[in-house]
Amino acid sequence: MHYGVILICLAMNQTPAVEVVTLSEKQVKGTIESLTANEVVIKSTEGTVVVPVSELLTIRSSQPVAPSAAEGKFVLKLTDDTQLGVSSFISAGSTVTVGHAVFGDIQMPVTAISSIRFAPADPKVDQEWNQLLERSVKKDLLTVRKGDVLDHLDGIIGSLNDTTLQFQLDGDDLSVKRERAFGLIYSKRDSTSKKATARLELVTGDRLSARQVEWNGKKWRVRLVTGPELEVAPEQLSTLDFSQSKITYLSDLDPRSVKYTPYFNYPGVIVWEYKKDRAFEGKPMFLGKVEYRKGLAIHSQTQLRFRLGGEYRKFQAVMGIGDEIQQGDASVIVKADERVIFNGSAKTRVAEGPLAGQRPEPQKLDLDVTGVVELEIFVGFGSEGEAVTDIGDRVYFGNARLLR
């Protein structure tokens, strides 16, 4: 089957019920009327709602569809971050043909392939396989399992059929039995994942990285970054995520620098180094009884600096002392290229006024970082200074994110 339209499913060509979430966290429920490169149109109980694609975050199916396991016995990964469960993998010349339980046969250039794993998941070797995937290799890798260890050969992957793999090692051509190969990792090519405008999560667990997505009234029409066009039936879609090209979570970045000064600084004392996507002690982050699976947990006397490189326009987060803390008081300063853009505090109790003694609502930060090269977050002692222990000074930045 050549490049072209690949049908995922012909049944249930009905207008799907969806939940649309925008960058401003507005939620719209209804049925989708259209999706183009410019806008999505939803018919809701309040009428027709039009959302520009530039403000679109996610489209989720609101129909209760039970996940179904992908029938493919091999795991294929492409350079655009697409992942498919496939039942066959044949390579000849510059073209690869893979078989999919729903797609049928799909052809793509060998340059689109990142890796193919023939062996099923096994915790004894999964970590080692993942480490090999992360390596920057100049040659192709043929991996072979020996007991609970993965061995590999560096060379050039050639043609491959159901029984035999051609592999060039140190200039010699080898014929390797297909059944001996644990998996193949192709030499690192330039990743094309950043060219994706959206990512589709299917109920089978497959993941598609798309350059373009449209709704044609019956199916989702998807053009992958690596080339092929797919048509996805509504019951196959779990989530359509547009956030990749618009949002970067701070927890997905490594700070340029980290400075932390413990309250007590001697051997054996517990220190509270900042955490990503979880609270301290490995627990979930809760602010105002809402769980945040993305974000930063920062203790007092911690300074984090992130390099933004002038690529973003907004820094947003929901900030406050963690719900599990009964007594906490911390100052928070956010700087953009040494310029203070936020100077406030996070507390567990309002000090004065009509709400004195009550727990304040978490604060929503929406700060302009247009053109900013470096962002700094500093959490310090609160208004009481060092008069009390700092154990409760745990400031959570839920959904801390940068918008392009």
Side-chain angles (χ1 to χ4, degrees):
M1 187 174 185
H2 59 77
Y3 267 33
V5 176
I6 304 168
L7 299 181
I8 287 186
C9 188
L10 294 176
M12 295 179 65
N13 293 333
Q14 57 190 28
T15 303
V18 297
E19 178 183 88
V20 175
V21 180
T22 69
L23 285 174
S24 61
E25 299 184 352
K26 178 182 178 180
Q27 297 183 3
V28 181
K29 293 184 178 181
T31 56
I32 189 161
E33 296 294 298
S34 66
L35 171 64
T36 67
N38 299 317
E39 65 185 22
V40 59
V41 180
I42 307 101
K43 185 176 181 180
S44 71
T45 55
E46 300 176 357
T48 300
V49 180
V50 179
V51 178
V53 168
S54 60
E55 295 298 316
L56 185 58
L57 187 59
T58 59
I59 298 176
R60 295 189 180 94
S61 173
S62 58
Q63 296 172 326
V65 179
S68 59
E71 296 183 24
K73 55 185 178 180
F74 309 144
V75 178
L76 172 69
K77 292 186 177 181
L78 306 185
T79 58
D80 64 6
D81 199 38
T82 290
Q83 178 172 307
L84 297 170
V86 299
S87 56
S88 64
F89 183 90
I90 305 296
S91 176
S94 61
T95 303
V96 170
T97 303
V98 299
H100 192 277
V102 180
F103 296 174
D105 288 342
I106 310 170
Q107 287 189 350
M108 61 189 68
V110 69
T111 54
I113 308 299
S114 177
S115 67
I116 177 72
R117 174 170 169 164
F118 302 117
D122 186 337
K124 295 179 181 179
V125 291
D126 285 348
Q127 183 177 357
E128 193 173 356
W129 171 256
N130 291 332
Q131 289 173 346
L132 288 174
L133 291 177
E134 294 174 359
R135 287 179 52 182
S136 180
V137 294
K138 296 181 179 180
K139 292 186 176 181
D140 302 333
L141 299 184
L142 163 62
T143 61
V144 179
R145 181 169 181 171
K146 295 182 178 180
D148 292 336
V149 177
L150 292 184
D151 195 6
H152 64 272
L153 299 175
D154 297 9
I156 300 174
I157 298 170
S159 61
L160 173 68
N161 57 37
D162 289 332
T163 60
T164 308
L165 164 67
Q166 299 300 319
F167 189 77
Q168 188 177 97
L169 178 66
D170 296 331
D172 295 330
D173 293 326
L174 304 179
S175 291
V176 181
K177 290 184 178 180
R178 166 70 169 268
E179 61 189 27
R180 291 194 59 197
F182 179 92
L184 304 175
I185 299 175
Y186 288 76
S187 59
K188 294 299 181 184
R189 305 182 177 94
D190 292 337
S191 172
T192 57
S193 60
K194 290 185 178 180
K195 297 180 181 179
T197 60
R199 185 172 70 179
L200 290 82
E201 301 285 348
L202 306 185
V203 296
T204 57
D206 290 329
R207 180 176 67 237
L208 308 177
S209 290
R211 186 189 301 272
Q212 184 178 352
V213 184
E214 294 182 350
W215 172 254
N216 65 9
K218 295 182 179 180
K219 302 181 183 70
W220 301 100
R221 180 168 293 170
V222 182
R223 177 182 289 277
L224 296 187
V225 173
T226 49
E229 291 186 2
L230 318 178
E231 286 194 350
V232 179
E235 71 274 11
Q236 292 290 327
L237 180 69
S238 175
T239 303
L240 181 50
D241 186 351
F242 287 84
S243 66
Q244 279 187 302
S245 60
K246 301 170 185 174
I247 291 178
T248 299
Y249 288 97
L250 282 189
S251 59
D252 292 334
L253 299 177
D254 291 325
R256 188 180 67 80
S257 68
V258 179
K259 293 182 180 179
Y260 167 58
T261 305
Y263 185 78
F264 297 106
N265 193 10
Y266 54 83
V269 173
I270 297 176
V271 295
W272 307 100
E273 297 179 345
Y274 89 102
K275 304 295 182 184
K276 296 181 177 182
D277 300 333
R278 57 190 175 94
F280 298 94
E281 294 97 15
K283 298 179 180 179
M285 287 188 294
F286 279 92
L287 285 172
K289 299 182 180 180
V290 176
E291 180 180 356
Y292 292 91
R293 299 191 177 187
K294 299 294 294 182
L296 299 174
I298 305 177
H299 207 271
S300 59
Q301 299 306 99
T302 299
Q303 178 197 70
L304 302 178
R305 288 182 174 178
F306 296 88
R307 181 170 179 79
L308 308 189
E311 297 181 8
Y312 302 93
R313 59 184 178 85
K314 289 283 188 179
F315 168 56
Q316 298 178 337
V318 178
M319 184 195 76
I321 299 289
D323 283 2
E324 77 278 11
I325 300 300
Q326 299 301 313
Q327 182 176 350
D329 182 7
S331 63
V332 178
I333 298 175
V334 181
K335 293 182 180 180
D337 292 337
E338 301 300 328
R339 176 174 55 88
V340 176
I341 57 175
F342 177 82
N343 188 349
S345 63
K347 303 175 184 290
T348 51
R349 293 290 181 270
V350 177
E352 55 187 26
L355 299 178
Q358 297 184 32
R359 192 178 188 102
E361 293 291 326
Q363 300 180 56
K364 291 186 176 182
L365 303 184
D366 187 8
L367 307 177
D368 186 357
V369 293
T370 303
V372 171
V373 176
E374 183 176 89
L375 180 74
E376 176 186 313
I377 300 175
F378 176 73
V379 175
F381 295 123
S383 57
E384 297 179 356
E386 300 182 58
V388 296
T389 179
D390 70 340
I391 292 177
D393 296 349
R394 303 179 175 190
V395 181
Y396 297 164
F397 293 81
N399 281 349
R401 61 187 189 174
L402 299 162
L403 273 59
R404 288 183 173 83

